[in-house]
Amino acid sequence: MTSLHIPRVRRRRLGVAVAAFGLIASFLAAGPAAATPDPGDAPDGKRMSKELAADTRAAMENGDIPGVDEIVHSKNIKHLASVGKGALGSLNTDLAFQGRYAFAGNYDGFTIYDIGNPRSPKTVSQVLCPGGQNDISVSGNLLFLSTDSSRSDNSCNSTSQPASEKSSWEGMKIFDISDKRNPRYVAAVETACGSHTHTLVPGKRTVYVYVSSYFPSEDFPDCQPPHDGISVIKVPRKAPERSAVIDFPVLFPDGGNSGSEGSSYETTGCHDITAFPKKRLAAGACMGDGILMDISDPARPRVIDRVRDNTNFAFWHSATFSEDGDKVVFTDELGGGGAATCNAEVGPDRGANGIYDLKRRGHHRELVFRSYFKIPRHQADTENCVAHNGSLIPVRGRDIMVQAWYQGGVSVWEFTDSSRPKEIGYFERGPLSADTLTLGGSWSAYYYNGHIYSNDIAKGFDVLRVDDRRTAGAARVRLHELNVQTQPDYR
């Protein structure tokens, strides 16, 4: 492959501003959930060989990669603030937004930040409620939290318990957040194989929740194969305690990708779904398959096209529509988020994004592959790095995305020409360690009302600003609420 251009960077050392936090004592739990990135195991602190460690240190000294914990960024990105994780000591995960608040998931629970002043975010409250991975979203006065680790019961005081035990619980938790300082746990819904992620399709009176989960086993009473679909939960806004699973639509009647060809995983469910309610569409990233669904009836999603990439995609992880809904970006989480895959050995097409044009109309729509995009900055062998969660920066006439790459940092890139994507800005920290593979970096990086917010697995909550003529139009866009997996119509 051709050598990669490493842009000039402006460097400065990490400064961490830790906000005060209020811990909700009524939700104290007995212990943390097992922290396991999907779909593989977290790095176990494995030390590199002396040769690899020496190579990493030499690259740091040469300026090819930043030093341990050193912050670097392109000229058009500014780092405004950092807030530590506070009382929640496990892995930070996803983000959601409402008004002046950001909601941040963590394997131990969730945090609510006041981002009214993006330069100085404040921790409003923290809820300790273990249940990895605590994927999070909000709608009105309701907050939704996914539990995908087998627990002794559905309370926030639960402990880990084997999935082989019939009494074990996994699923969806629902909180009332009308008082941001005192969220109130109001409902729980058990779902088959738990809830790894979830997607909201909100209405005035009802919220439909698509629950994605996978990896069934004959040994798990509540997670039996085949597991070829998703759970659909109906949530009455005024009576969330009456929430219930109303259907389990089978999305893969043929069983999906068998995993017998190439590098792809076997499809045993979906990892993540992004709904575009205005377009009545949803895109699903389902392990070995990418799918397009008609959600005209949100209670009954229906697959209308399916694509595979057994050559370069290992694990279909997430999806993002373009602003006009005429493209879909799928991510490949090669190595499950716990491996060093942003290097010359892996190359530019694996552990990357796949960009697809959406052709034809109605029930005849089809996904057509155009290109791959991967960050053009090689990372150290001690850095877990792969395509992960991102969102659009809403600029009329352009398709620009901000995206997390774990220890590859935060990338701003453009895919207006779906055949020629390119990075236009970035922010990253140097490796957590020069000689040990340690899990860290940005899990989610999203644009919301003028700023970029990143939930760093190890470091905490970061606020960035992008100053670039290509993204300037986004400054006029203001939303009251953003769950990235429920894509808004920015127009």
Side-chain angles (χ1 to χ4, degrees), residues 85 88-93 104-110 129 133-134:
K85 293 195 289 186
L88 304 182
S90 194
L91 311 183
N92 276 342
T93 59
N106 179 286
Y107 271 70
D108 280 347
F110 65 91
C129 193
Q133 59 184 12
N134 279 337

Side-chain angles (χ1 to χ4, degrees), residues 80-305:
L80 302 183
S82 286
V83 181
K85 293 195 289 186
L88 304 182
S90 194
L91 311 183
N92 276 342
T93 59
D94 211 3
L95 293 168
F97 304 90
Q98 186 183 86
R100 61 183 293 159
Y101 299 100
F103 304 81
N106 179 286
Y107 271 70
D108 280 347
F110 65 91
T111 301
I112 302 178
Y113 296 102
D114 184 334
I115 55 172
N117 178 1
R119 290 182 174 272
S120 183
K122 305 296 183 184
T123 302
V124 176
S125 59
Q126 291 193 292
V127 174
L128 189 58
C129 193
Q133 59 184 12
N134 279 337
D135 192 51
I136 194 168
S137 59
V138 295
S139 184
N141 287 331
L142 300 178
L143 179 147
F144 300 84
L145 204 63
S146 284
T147 298
D148 190 31
S149 61
S150 186
R151 312 298 298 176
S152 56
D153 55 53
N154 64 10
S155 75
C156 286
N157 297 304
S158 67
T159 57
S160 295
Q161 183 168 290
S164 56
E165 295 284 340
K166 176 60 179 172
S167 62
S168 295
W169 185 91
E170 298 179 73
M172 180 65 59
K173 295 170 181 168
I174 304 173
F175 292 78
D176 185 315
I177 53 169
S178 51
D179 180 354
K180 303 296 188 294
R181 294 188 177 276
N182 294 284
R184 184 168 57 91
Y185 186 6
V186 295
V189 181
E190 187 170 15
T191 55
C193 300
S195 174
H196 192 70
T197 67
H198 66 269
T199 303
L200 306 186
V201 183
K204 290 182 179 180
R205 298 179 180 178
T206 301
V207 180
Y208 290 97
V209 185
Y210 297 159
V211 174
S212 296
S213 56
Y214 53 91
F215 282 161
S217 170
E218 296 285 359
D219 296 328
F220 302 159
D222 298 321
C223 183
Q224 291 284 298
H227 184 71
D228 296 325
I230 58 174
S231 297
V232 179
I233 299 174
K234 182 177 181 180
V235 182
R237 288 190 181 276
K238 293 185 177 181
E241 68 279 1
R242 291 166 44 199
S243 301
V245 175
I246 59 168
D247 199 4
F248 186 88
V250 175
L251 306 179
F252 304 99
D254 64 351
N257 196 328
S258 66
S260 61
E261 297 180 18
S263 60
S264 289
Y265 265 79
E266 177 186 2
T267 298
T268 59
C270 288
H271 177 276
D272 209 347
I273 293 169
T274 293
F276 199 158
K278 184 71 173 182
K279 295 286 185 179
R280 299 183 177 183
L281 291 174
C286 302
M287 304 182 73
D289 293 276
I291 59 174
L292 185 70
M293 292 187 288
D294 183 324
I295 59 168
S296 300
D297 181 351
R300 296 175 177 82
R302 185 168 62 87
V303 175
I304 56 178
D305 194 28

Side-chain angles (χ1 to χ4, degrees), residues 158 169 183 235 253 257 316 338 345 367 372 423:
S158 67
W169 185 91
V235 182
N257 196 328
W316 296 71
E345 181 180 359
L367 295 159
Y372 298 106
E423 185 174 77

Side-chain angles (χ1 to χ4, degrees), residues 310-332:
N310 289 327
T311 301
N312 287 314
F313 260 48
F315 189 86
W316 296 71
H317 176 275
S318 53
T320 302
F321 286 95
S322 62
E323 188 170 338
D324 290 336
D326 59 358
K327 305 181 184 79
V328 180
V329 175
F330 288 102
T331 66
D332 171 25

